[in-house]
Amino acid sequence: MKRLIENIRNKLSEKGLKVTPQRISILEAIYSLNNHPTADNIIEFIRVSHPNIATGTVYKVLDTLVENKLIKKVKTDRDILRYDGIVDNHHHIYCSECDLIEDYKDEELDVLLKEYFNKKQFEGFKLEDIVVQIRGTFDKC
Amino acid sequence: MKRLIENIRNKLSEKGLKVTPQRISILEAIYSLNNHPTADNIIEFIRVSHPNIATGTVYKVLDTLVENKLIKKVKTDRDILRYDGIVDNHHHIYCSECDLIEDYKDEELDVLLKEYFNKKQFEGFKLEDIVVQIRGTFDKC
DNA sequence: TCCTTAATGAGAGTCATTCTCCTTTAGTGA
DNA sequence: TCACTAAAGGAGAATGACTCTCATTAAGGA
């Protein structure tokens, strides 16, 4: 736990961001809440230890973290914005029945896509990132 | 134009949906406004010829159309829902600078992905759809 | 043409997110 | 170590996209 917080401090100052208790607990919340929390999940989690944090602050910090690539936004077509503490390239599996979003890492796929798009070459466009959305239904749902 | 409306009528009744003037003009708006309009874009467009349409009606019709797979939802990074009149399998290019979403059709890519995921086989998961999100920046932005 | 049921209009309500403005604090430099 | 300044946070009002409710209207089948 100590170690996690030390790690968070380093990440923040590496980016030239002020290390504030609010920023630390928000990142801590994202790392603790596994499944792509919403802003609301994060606020609820933090209020336990930090009852006075303002919702505006949480949104502002989340924006800052996204800008500095310490977290990612996850787009879903069905509901509100979610946040993802994993910034390595990875994909998402969306269940059509429940609201779950699962992470999907697949280096073989990454290589395949990278090679494909390298060959392709877009005119007038600088490619930054490719994310695959896999939609389907879990049998358990 | 006559032809477009006839086409829309057919699509609606094929799905067993009542053919109402509101539904027709909403679909017409989506087909006319090319680039993935927001609900607001659609409302603005329709009000010209149909000033009394209620915003609630527009949202309700859009939901119905999505449910019946006559249109698709797309979400931008800035968290605004947009609607897409193209329901064939296709992908999207997201610009990090502007909020534009461009369509990206690529059958070679579709085949590649289909083969890849056929080989892969997920346990306990029924695959429905694979969409690739391509993020980057247009030089013009 | 009539009847039933679904669709629409109007407008109030909701709720995630943003804004404003004042206070507090992190980090720098003396 | 302390003081200063710009950046960050708190409180809560404001915004705006979307939803709900309920009375009215109209599509489509009998």
Side-chain angles (χ1 to χ4, degrees), chain A residues 24-43:
Chain A
I24 293 173
S25 26
I26 288 168
L27 263 178
E28 205 187 337
I30 294 172
Y31 293 144
S32 308
L33 296 163
N34 318 8
N35 215 251
H36 311 94
T38 62
D40 219 52
N41 297 150
I42 294 166
I43 291 167

Side-chain angles (χ1 to χ4, degrees), chain B residues 86-119:
Chain B
I86 302 172
V87 287
D88 300 357
N89 196 268
H90 69 286
H91 310 284
H92 286 131
I93 301 178
Y94 297 80
C95 179
S96 300
E97 290 304 317
C98 62
D99 210 26
L100 222 73
I101 302 174
E102 296 233 334
D103 287 319
Y104 178 65
K105 288 206 183 194
D106 183 340
E107 292 188 14
E108 195 186 339
L109 177 63
D110 292 340
V111 171
L112 190 75
L113 288 172
K114 197 166 193 173
E115 280 176 5
Y116 181 79
F117 283 104
N118 271 348
K119 262 192 320 196

Side-chain angles (χ1 to χ4, degrees), chain A residues 73 75-81 93-96 104 106-110 112-113 116-117 119-120 122-140, chain B residues 73-79 81 93-96 104 106-110 112-113 116-117 119-120 122-140:
Chain A
K73 286 185 181 179
K75 285 195 292 290
T76 64
D77 293 343
R78 48 160 66 178
D79 68 353
I80 48 189
L81 263 183
I93 302 178
Y94 297 77
C95 179
S96 297
Y104 177 64
D106 183 340
E107 291 188 16
E108 195 187 340
L109 177 63
D110 292 338
L112 191 75
L113 288 171
Y116 182 79
F117 282 103
K119 262 192 319 199
K120 213 80 190 179
F122 292 103
E123 280 288 314
F125 182 76
K126 199 170 134 268
L127 184 64
E128 285 159 14
D129 198 21
I130 295 170
V131 177
V132 179
Q133 293 186 321
I134 301 160
R135 188 179 307 281
T137 317
F138 293 108
D139 293 347
K140 64 186 178 200
Chain B
K73 285 184 182 179
V74 194
K75 199 176 248 189
T76 68
D77 278 349
R78 295 186 195 163
D79 199 27
L81 266 182
I93 301 178
Y94 297 80
C95 179
S96 300
Y104 178 65
D106 183 340
E107 292 188 14
E108 195 186 339
L109 177 63
D110 292 340
L112 190 75
L113 288 172
Y116 181 79
F117 283 104
K119 262 192 320 196
K120 212 81 192 179
F122 291 103
E123 281 289 314
F125 182 76
K126 197 169 136 268
L127 184 65
E128 285 160 13
D129 199 19
I130 295 170
V131 176
V132 179
Q133 299 184 325
I134 301 162
R135 184 185 324 287
T137 317
F138 292 109
D139 294 347
K140 63 185 177 201

Side-chain angles (χ1 to χ4, degrees), chain A residues 77-117:
Chain A
D77 293 343
R78 48 160 66 178
D79 68 353
I80 48 189
L81 263 183
R82 292 165 177 274
Y83 295 88
D84 191 342
I86 302 172
V87 287
D88 299 358
N89 197 268
H90 69 285
H91 310 286
H92 288 130
I93 302 178
Y94 297 77
C95 179
S96 297
E97 290 303 318
C98 64
D99 232 11
L100 222 72
I101 303 172
E102 296 229 338
D103 288 319
Y104 177 64
K105 288 208 184 196
D106 183 340
E107 291 188 16
E108 195 187 340
L109 177 63
D110 292 338
V111 171
L112 191 75
L113 288 171
K114 197 167 193 174
E115 279 176 5
Y116 182 79
F117 282 103

